Amino acid sequence: MPSPAPKQPEKPGNSRSDDAVHVPTHDAAHVTPHDENPPKGTGISRRAFGGLAGATAIGATVTATGAAAPAAAAPAPGTHAAERPFRAATGRRARRPNILFILGDDLGWADLSSYGSPHIRTPHLDRLARQGVRFTQSYSGSATCSPTRFSLYTGRYPGRTKGGLAEPIADRSSGLEPGHPTLASLLKGAGYATALIGKWHCGYLPDYSPTKSGWDTFFGNFGGALEYYSKLGLAGEYDLYEGDATYKDLRYYTRIITERAVEYVGRDHDRPWLLNLNFTTPHWPWIADGDEEESAEIVRRIKAGERGALQHRDGGSLAKYTEMVQDLDRSVGEVLAALKRSGQERDTLVFFASDNGGERWSYNWPLSGNKASLQEGGIRVPTIVRWPARLDGGQVSHEPVFSPDWTATLLELAGARPHPAYPLDGTSLAGYLLRGERIAERDLFWRVRGERALRRGDWKYYRGRGGRDQLFHLANDPREQADRAAAEPARLAELRAAWEKVDGTLLRYAEG
């Protein structure tokens, strides 16, 4: 196997030796990268993927004569043949990382080929996974766009803030209060440059904006969705901004923000940086690059006053959705290539995930539910982390984690402290990732209007809109079909009480 790549040369002005911190390792060899388009059959199957099905892959191969060769040692459940279970590489030193935090929008659990999609090919994100750590039981902070972003930016349950009660934000009545500490404001206080490119969806001008909440610069859209060419939002408003001023560019939106991100990561930075890169892809409307006629028709309907035209309920297809996801993959690939060219790849932590579960055209097998639901399909999301200086590649983690954990983790890695008046609800994973420590036992909690859920170990308590308490053992039943509530009444009562205890500390929903 090849030895680890040599350290990339630094650009002038990028030296931060005073930022070096000791990290707790074993120097496992890096997995040899695969071809960009691996041959069919090298990915996970529909029934054995992501640690969900509980079945171990059989390691038999076929020789040139057609005879079965001896089976190799089978990987752990949910581990690809080229992956190994996560193990921290301890004892390394590295400077504080740059942070490139990339979100897809409404990307489903298995919409990446590295997570089991049988028809979507995502070579750039698959390569990112091979170079880093793929998480199979990672969750969003909520089941829709804006509350998940609240949980990520604040590191707290969405229900701790008024704006987080909107599921999602759809008007100008609420947003992320500028006085609330955020990942960006806390990192900025620790010496980071901060930027947000793409979808904000945490409140509208004049009261709310990324530049009011800790980001030095902002380029993107304020609302939850926009038509990809015209930039018209849900109310027919133009929604592309640089800072607090509108910016006119009628090209395909994904192209525009990709260009901006490429430019940002390629700069001569004189300090560590945070870039939140929030794509709207593959969120509706179902318009791919080049679909200008479909775009014009949606714009016509919006301008004619047709409510819901942007939701595109009469449009889209599996083929169009595939095109959009593959475009997202290419766009991420462009940004990662720019990062590599800049010489900052080794010292940049790249995080990729979706903001919540998939919708309509997404591939979620075998999970039940979609976006807006607290079933697994609404909150379990593909998640990849790469940091060459500190994490070995070719690894998979089956630890349950969720959005507020990443806030706590990034703050610790950057040497920033949470604000004492706004305690975090997430648990830092830095000890797990860098020092080989066990993640402390804790509950993962979710609440949306009409639904509740809490995960403890392999058990999940769930109450849907029908009002019935249910209990599922996710390791055995990731599809949430075998309700164990009647068989485990004491456990059900314990988890329900734990959920209600947390709920009692949150803001109440408005009536109606």
Side-chain angles (χ1 to χ4, degrees):
M1 289 187 181
S3 59
K7 185 175 181 179
Q8 295 283 354
E10 295 180 3
K11 284 192 165 191
N14 276 1
S15 177
R16 300 195 302 273
S17 58
D18 56 317
D19 289 335
V21 291
H22 184 264
V23 246
T25 199
H26 103 283
D27 286 318
H30 291 281
V31 173
T32 303
H34 291 222
D35 292 335
E36 186 168 306
N37 293 304
K40 185 176 180 181
T42 57
I44 46 183
S45 71
R46 294 182 62 176
R47 295 187 178 275
F49 71 97
L52 290 174
T56 302
I58 304 300
T61 59
V62 178
T63 67
T65 62
T79 304
H80 296 189
E83 289 177 331
R84 62 187 183 280
F86 176 76
R87 183 176 178 183
T90 59
R92 295 180 181 174
R93 295 179 65 86
R95 60 190 57 171
R96 295 186 296 168
N98 305 313
I99 299 166
L100 173 56
F101 201 106
I102 307 172
L103 282 182
D105 198 354
D106 292 1
L107 184 72
W109 152 255
D111 278 337
L112 306 183
S113 42
S114 50
Y115 277 80
S117 175
H119 59 279
I120 302 176
R121 299 184 68 78
T122 51
H124 300 286
L125 287 166
D126 299 346
R127 184 189 301 112
L128 185 70
R130 291 195 298 271
Q131 295 171 340
V133 183
R134 188 176 66 90
F135 287 79
T136 66
Q137 301 194 59
S138 182
Y139 293 88
S140 56
S142 190
T144 53
C145 303
S146 56
T148 287
R149 292 160 204 268
F150 271 76
S151 72
L152 171 63
Y153 298 154
T154 68
R156 311 174 79 210
Y157 300 129
R160 297 210 184 279
T161 59
K162 180 182 176 182
L165 298 177
E167 296 170 349
I169 288 175
D171 57 38
R172 299 177 186 272
S173 64
S174 62
L176 179 53
E177 292 294 339
H180 196 297
T182 64
L183 174 65
S185 68
L186 294 169
L187 289 186
K188 186 174 180 178
Y192 274 66
T194 58
L196 192 151
I197 296 174
K199 178 175 171 176
W200 164 240
H201 205 187
C202 287
Y204 292 87
L205 291 171
D207 297 321
Y208 312 105
S209 170
T211 57
K212 298 178 187 292
S213 290
W215 282 270
D216 296 322
T217 61
F218 167 60
F219 180 87
N221 62 302
F222 281 93
L226 82 173
E227 196 281 308
Y228 283 82
Y229 280 98
S230 68
K231 313 304 182 295
L232 297 184
L234 287 162
E237 77 285 7
Y238 185 83
D239 192 15
L240 177 58
Y241 286 76
E242 184 165 34
D244 293 348
T246 56
Y247 184 91
K248 292 296 181 180
D249 192 332
L250 300 181
R251 295 177 298 150
Y252 189 71
Y253 188 43
T254 308
R255 296 283 71 70
I256 299 170
I257 61 174
T258 300
E259 287 178 6
R260 285 288 180 135
V262 165
E263 187 277 328
Y264 186 87
V265 303
R267 292 179 187 174
D268 285 323
H269 296 275
D270 60 359
R271 52 186 168 140
W273 48 265
L274 163 72
L275 171 59
N276 288 99
L277 176 54
N278 298 345
F279 288 96
T280 55
T281 311
H283 195 290
W284 43 259
W286 317 111
I287 295 175
D289 194 1
D291 291 343
E292 297 186 38
E293 289 187 10
E294 187 71 8
S295 165
E297 174 59 18
I298 291 176
V299 170
R300 183 194 65 76
R301 293 163 64 179
I302 292 173
K303 291 183 175 180
E306 181 181 332
R307 297 188 63 181
L310 195 61
Q311 281 89 336
H312 207 191
R313 292 189 178 93
D314 58 350
S317 64
L318 284 173
K320 186 57 59 181
Y321 185 79
T322 295
E323 193 175 344
M324 294 178 75
V325 175
Q326 292 182 168
D327 184 47
L328 170 65
D329 178 73
R330 283 191 299 272
S331 300
V332 171
E334 289 180 31
V335 178
L336 296 179
L339 180 66
K340 186 178 182 67
R341 290 193 302 270
S342 76
Q344 302 172 90
E345 182 179 68
R346 178 172 174 78
D347 296 311
T348 299
L349 187 153
V350 178
F351 180 101
F352 176 85
S354 179
D355 61 346
N356 46 248
E359 185 188 1
R360 296 193 206 171
W361 306 108
S362 291
Y363 181 67
N364 275 347
W365 178 263
L367 306 181
S368 295
N370 296 291
K371 172 185 177 179
S373 167
L374 293 182
Q375 290 181 289
E376 292 290 287
I379 52 176
R380 196 183 289 209
V381 294
T383 299
I384 300 166
V385 177
R386 185 190 74 182
W387 184 12
R390 305 290 285 273
L391 301 175
D392 288 330
Q395 300 194 87
V396 61
S397 172
H398 305 303
E399 292 291 332
V401 298
F402 74 150
S403 296
D405 293 339
W406 297 113
T407 314
T409 303
L410 296 177
L411 291 175
E412 181 174 347
L413 296 179
R417 295 181 179 275
H419 194 293
Y422 300 86
L424 303 180
D425 291 312
T427 297
S428 174
L429 308 176
Y432 169 70
L433 292 171
L434 305 181
R435 300 183 290 275
E437 299 171 3
R438 294 180 62 88
I439 299 175
E441 292 187 7
R442 70 315 180 12
D443 297 334
L444 302 185
F445 169 96
W446 298 270
R447 183 190 75 172
V448 301
R449 190 183 293 269
E451 294 195 22
R452 55 170 68 180
L454 182 138
R455 176 166 177 170
R456 177 178 294 175
D458 286 332
W459 290 95
K460 179 178 176 181
Y461 161 60
Y462 171 70
R463 180 190 290 180
R465 298 178 193 278
R468 180 165 62 94
D469 287 337
Q470 296 178 282
L471 183 67
F472 302 104
H473 190 274
L474 294 177
N476 297 333
D477 177 29
R479 194 159 173 76
E480 297 171 289
Q481 297 297 305
D483 183 5
R484 302 291 298 165
E488 300 266 1
R491 191 186 303 275
L492 175 66
E494 182 180 2
L495 297 189
R496 179 174 56 226
W499 186 93
E500 291 172 348
K501 182 177 180 180
V502 175
D503 179 62
T505 70
L506 305 183
L507 299 177
R508 300 295 92 194
Y509 290 110
E511 296 296 329

